[in-house]
Amino acid sequence: MATLKITQVKSRIGATAQQCKNLDALGLRKINRTVEHSDSAIILGMVEKVKHLVKVEVVETKKAAKKAVAAEVEAPKAEVEVKAEEKKAPAKKPAAKKTAAKTEAKPKTAAKKVSKTTKKEE
């Protein structure tokens, strides 16, 4: 997952109340201040509402880059393991024992509905 580097480039003067709340939620209070947030749907939605006030840069984190490289390396190993499992004969499962448990179903009593009645004034 990438990280977004968000910088406020314009003033909030003249912005709507909702846009000001989005800037506050993003952590931007002054011009030329920068914050970093994860790339999630919530953050992207807030940025979309104030896109005329901010500048957004996508920064890939080191952990995400390492995971991507590790996933590429481990992918061939997984294919080899799957092929090895296909060669093995499937294990037979023991037959499940049937138990005859008799349960008596008690009839449920219907709950009485209590409705509020309105009195008609004459």
Side-chain angles (χ1 to χ4, degrees), residues 58-118:
V58 178
V59 180
E60 189 169 330
T61 59
K62 292 179 182 178
K63 290 180 182 178
K66 287 181 181 178
K67 287 181 182 178
V69 171
E72 291 174 2
V73 171
E74 291 181 12
K77 291 180 183 178
E79 292 175 3
V80 172
E81 290 175 5
V82 170
K83 290 179 183 177
E85 289 178 4
E86 289 176 357
K87 292 179 182 177
K88 294 179 183 177
K92 293 182 180 180
K93 294 182 181 179
K97 294 181 181 178
K98 294 181 181 178
T99 58
K102 294 182 180 179
T103 57
E104 294 181 17
K106 294 181 181 178
K108 292 184 179 179
T109 57
K112 295 181 181 179
K113 292 184 179 179
V114 179
S115 62
K116 294 182 181 179
T117 57
T118 58

Side-chain angles (χ1 to χ4, degrees), residues 14-109:
T16 63
Q18 187 65 38
Q19 291 169 346
C20 290
K21 288 178 183 179
N22 281 331
L23 287 173
D24 288 337
L26 288 169
L28 298 170
R29 290 175 177 40
K30 294 183 179 182
I31 298 175
N32 295 327
R33 298 296 169 117
T34 302
V35 293
E36 290 187 3
H37 288 285
S38 63
D39 185 15
S40 66
I42 296 170
I43 299 298
L44 292 175
M46 287 192 282
V47 168
E48 183 65 28
K49 296 290 184 181
V50 293
K51 64 183 173 187
H52 60 286
L53 301 175
V54 298
K55 178 179 75 171
V56 180
E57 298 174 34
V58 178
V59 180
E60 189 169 330
T61 59
K62 292 179 182 178
K63 290 180 182 178
K66 287 181 181 178
K67 287 181 182 178
V69 171
E72 291 174 2
V73 171
E74 291 181 12
K77 291 180 183 178
E79 292 175 3
V80 172
E81 290 175 5
V82 170
K83 290 179 183 177
E85 289 178 4
E86 289 176 357
K87 292 179 182 177
K88 294 179 183 177
K92 293 182 180 180
K93 294 182 181 179
K97 294 181 181 178
K98 294 181 181 178
T99 58
K102 294 182 180 179
T103 57
E104 294 181 17
K106 294 181 181 178
K108 292 184 179 179
T109 57

